[in-house]
Amino acid sequence: MDYSDAIQTLKNSDPILATLIEIVGDCKLSQVQHTGDLLFSLSRSIIYQQLSGKAAAAIHNRFLLLYPHSPYPTASQILNTPDDVLRGAGISRSKILYLKDLAQKIDGLPTLEELQTMDDEEIINTLTPIKGIGRWTVQMLLMFTLHRLDVLPVDDLGIRAGIRKLYGLAELPKKKNVEDLGQMWKPYRTIACWYLWRSLELS
């Protein structure tokens, strides 16, 4: 995917972010876009909740290895997996509850194709009634599965830490401050977030 227009827009509107973009280089967001169905995407986001990317990736990989004969775990496979097996993969008790609740309800949810026809807030309102799926979890789906370019997850600790580092703040910005700052990045807030996450990997 070509992000050149988005990057030029961000550079013009935010000189501080522009310096980070120069350091990091080309946006590789499309390389981390997720495949799979809605169950796969949401279960991945549930596992990633409140964990560092590295720890979450390791647990998610162990989760997928429980189902070696399927490209993606099915709802029935998740429901039939004993809790202690999921715990052995590193998944917390609360997340096991969320995953199984999701697996029970997935048939009543829209498909990814159906979600593509809905706007962001409509998707958030459709999915957040499910146990363990909050606004952040749906925003990860919007960014990494549905390829929405103007998403700003103000609850994301990595985004807040990236802003604190990049803009030289004394402490983590509050959600309102993130929202206000993000006005500069419209309509490409997803791209700005990708660069903020990358900033945390720089020494």
Side-chain angles (χ1 to χ4, degrees):
M1 189 176 288
D2 182 7
Y3 298 114
S4 55
D5 287 347
I7 288 169
Q8 196 55 55
T9 300
L10 290 170
K11 283 181 173 181
N12 292 343
S13 60
D14 185 349
I16 296 175
L17 185 66
T19 61
L20 174 64
I21 291 171
E22 287 297 327
I23 293 167
V24 173
D26 293 341
C27 178
K28 296 183 172 62
L29 178 65
S30 61
Q31 295 178 15
V32 291
Q33 303 286 15
H34 304 151
T35 56
D37 56 13
L38 182 62
L39 177 62
F40 176 84
S41 298
L42 288 177
S43 60
R44 184 186 188 281
S45 289
I46 286 170
I47 288 170
Y48 269 69
Q49 289 170 4
Q50 299 175 317
L51 293 173
S52 72
K54 195 171 288 187
I59 293 170
H60 187 244
N61 285 336
R62 289 199 293 271
F63 170 67
L64 295 180
L65 287 172
L66 298 176
Y67 313 101
H69 303 300
S70 304
Y72 314 111
T74 64
S76 60
Q77 284 175 324
I78 292 172
L79 289 169
N80 290 327
T81 304
D83 288 6
D84 59 347
V85 173
L86 293 168
R87 286 285 297 132
I91 302 171
S92 68
R93 286 184 174 82
S94 59
K95 289 183 181 179
I96 291 169
L97 187 69
Y98 301 156
L99 288 171
K100 293 201 167 183
D101 186 63
L102 172 64
Q104 284 181 322
K105 294 175 177 171
I106 196 73
D107 283 346
L109 297 177
T111 63
L112 287 177
E113 290 74 21
E114 290 166 340
L115 290 175
Q116 283 285 23
T117 68
M118 299 159 63
D119 67 35
D120 292 0
E121 285 302 319
E122 197 179 354
I123 294 169
I124 288 168
N125 292 334
T126 298
L127 298 179
T128 50
I130 301 162
K131 193 178 295 180
I133 294 182
R135 191 176 183 87
W136 178 89
T137 304
V138 183
Q139 286 173 322
M140 295 303 105
L141 174 81
L142 291 171
M143 297 171 90
F144 294 109
T145 303
L146 299 179
H147 319 312
R148 300 292 169 93
L149 292 180
D150 194 33
V151 181
L152 179 61
V154 296
D155 297 304
D156 190 276
L157 188 58
I159 296 299
R160 294 166 68 204
I163 289 171
R164 177 185 179 182
K165 179 181 178 183
L166 184 62
Y167 296 86
L169 306 181
E171 55 188 29
L172 287 176
K174 293 182 167 53
K175 295 175 190 177
K176 177 71 167 66
N177 303 122
V178 176
E179 190 70 56
D180 291 345
L181 185 63
Q183 296 301 310
M184 283 193 294
W185 308 329
K186 286 183 172 182
Y188 298 115
R189 290 180 293 179
T190 298
I191 309 297
C193 289
W194 185 86
Y195 278 101
L196 288 168
W197 278 318
R198 297 290 76 70
S199 74
L200 299 175
E201 299 166 3
L202 302 173
S203 55

